[in-house]
Amino acid sequence: MEETSMNTEMSTADTFPGFLGIKDAGVEAASTNGPTQTVGLSGITAVMLKVTAVSGISPMLEVTIQDGDNDPPTTNRWAWPQISAIGEYKAFLRTSKNYVRYVSTIDGINPSFTYSVMVTA
């Protein structure tokens, strides 16, 4: 996949061809349950987590991808190890479910993360 710079004024779906944005780039300082994305019975789904800014004391971000046959999905399918730095994190997960979403947990002292989450469908 060709690397492309992210413009925070654009939807992540427009920035990375083939990916659907389930969280456009934006600042989060608290844990979040993301919106559901329909991926169909795709078998393997690519997931990209792009962190563009981090602040706070000992900031920590955990992002879990959930899948399921119902909306909202509730089965934890993949989780990145604790993230505390800017970077692009990719994963491929095997799912035969119709729906995916992200769930984030943010911890630390005054933590703040600017990040986006995208999936293929």
Side-chain angles (χ1 to χ4, degrees):
M1 171 181 238
E2 181 179 315
E3 297 293 325
T4 306
S5 64
M6 176 166 286
N7 177 343
T8 57
E9 294 178 6
M10 296 175 70
S11 166
T12 53
D14 295 331
T15 306
F16 291 94
F19 280 85
L20 301 171
I22 58 175
K23 181 193 182 306
D24 285 340
V27 177
E28 297 283 341
S31 300
T32 306
N33 287 338
T36 299
Q37 179 67 49
T38 303
V39 293
L41 303 174
S42 61
I44 295 177
T45 300
V47 184
M48 184 185 310
L49 167 66
K50 185 167 177 134
V51 179
T52 57
V54 177
S55 66
I57 298 171
S58 300
M60 184 276 306
L61 170 66
E62 288 182 6
V63 175
T64 301
I65 302 299
Q66 295 180 329
D67 69 359
D69 290 321
N70 299 310
D71 182 6
T74 57
T75 302
N76 291 344
R77 187 60 54 204
W78 171 261
W80 278 279
Q82 294 180 351
I83 295 168
S84 60
I86 292 170
E88 196 171 275
Y89 306 89
K90 298 175 186 170
F92 294 93
L93 54 111
R94 187 172 299 279
T95 182
S96 59
K97 306 300 181 180
N98 288 315
Y99 303 101
V100 296
R101 74 171 177 175
Y102 77 93
V103 175
S104 69
T105 303
I106 296 178
D107 201 4
I109 299 171
N110 298 319
S112 176
F113 289 85
T114 301
Y115 67 101
S116 58
V117 180
M118 294 152 276
V119 298
T120 58

